[in-house]
Structure formats: C-alpha cells, structure tokens
C-alpha cells in the first residue's frame, strides 16, 4: 500500500490476497497492528501526499485529487477536511508562501507520472513519413 498508494484501483481484496489472508482476517490483523483499518491507512497516506503537493506544487485541487489516487473531488475534499480540519483550498492558502516557490505544475505532473500517452501514441507509422 505504501508503494502503490496513488493507484485508484488499489483495493482491499488485492492487498489481502497479496498478504495471503481473507479480506476480513486481513482487516482485523491490520487494525490490530496499525491501529486503523487498511482503508483508513490508505486514505491517510493519500492525504499526506496531497498536503505536500498543496504546499509545493502549482496544481489545481482536482489535479492533486487524481494524482493521489482519489477519483472524486467531493470525496477527496470531504476526507481531506476531516483529516486536516481545512478544505484543500483553505490548506493551500494557509501553507503556501512558507518556503520555496511552488513547483510548476508541469514538472509535478511529470514527476508523479500524470502525463498519459494519447491512444495510439508510440505506434510506428506505416506511411513512410519521417518520424
């Protein structure tokens, strides 16, 4: 979960199977070991990454939401506020300006793997054109 925290497809069944447990036994064992459920743990890791991006990158809240693995801006904002006490926009307003200049969004997106190839990109052309 720490390695693939940004993957929106990361789910409990996959993680439990990787650990060799049923989903229900995995939840109990994880909570006993870490004090929170796997879902809570993953949400907290994603919110921590979002906090960092809100402080350091010149990206929109929507872009950050998707980069950290949430598929819904509403869910992201609600969970962010529950965890930090501030909305993502309030958090940014409070914490930006306390350090280095914001990293341009294009660099942050490239670093986070946010640029996706267009469908069909990378296929060889068969028209004889210079590539």
């Amino acid at each position: 979960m720490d390695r693939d925290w940004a993957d929106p497809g990361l789910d409990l069944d996959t993680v439990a199977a990787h650990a060799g447990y049923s989903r229900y036994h995995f939840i109990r064992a994880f909570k006993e070991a870490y004090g929170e459920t796997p879902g809570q743990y993953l949400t907290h890791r994603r919110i921590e990454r979002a906090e960092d991006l809100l402080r350091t990158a010149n990206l929109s809240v929507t872009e950050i939401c998707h980069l950290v693995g949430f598929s819904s801006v509403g869910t992201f904002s609600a969970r962010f506020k529950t965890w930090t006490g501030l909305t993502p926009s309030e958090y940014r307003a409070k914490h930006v300006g306390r350090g280095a200049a914001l990293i341009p969004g294009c660099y942050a997106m490239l670093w986070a793997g946010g640029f996706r190839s267009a469908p069909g990109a990378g296929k060889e052309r068969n028209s004889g054109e210079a590539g």
Side-chain angles (χ1 to χ4, degrees):
M1 287 178 17
D2 284 329
R3 185 188 66 220
D4 296 330
W5 57 268
D7 180 0
L10 187 63
D11 68 352
L12 179 61
D13 290 327
T14 302
V15 175
H18 186 75
Y21 290 108
S22 73
R23 69 180 299 157
Y24 301 107
H25 183 70
F26 181 72
I27 291 170
R28 285 190 301 274
F30 192 96
K31 187 167 184 174
E32 185 177 320
Y34 295 100
E36 58 188 351
T37 66
Q40 292 167 331
Y41 179 85
L42 183 59
T43 296
H44 294 159
R45 297 298 75 74
R46 288 175 173 174
I47 296 297
E48 287 172 353
R49 278 23 176 239
E51 287 176 307
D52 186 46
L53 288 170
L54 286 164
R55 284 190 310 269
T56 61
N58 186 18
L59 296 169
S60 72
V61 171
T62 301
E63 289 170 321
I64 292 171
C65 164
H66 294 292
L67 280 174
V68 299
F70 285 92
S71 56
S72 163
V73 176
T75 300
F76 167 68
S77 295
R79 291 192 178 157
F80 191 94
K81 185 168 184 171
T82 298
W83 181 250
T84 65
L86 302 168
T87 66
S89 297
E90 292 168 341
Y91 185 90
R92 173 175 272 157
K94 181 176 179 179
H95 292 284
V96 166
R98 297 182 179 194
L102 292 177
I103 298 167
C106 57
Y107 289 113
M109 293 285 284
L110 183 62
W111 172 81
F115 291 115
R116 304 287 188 255
S117 297
K123 292 183 180 177
E124 291 185 36
R125 293 186 225 179
N126 197 17
S127 62
E129 296 178 28

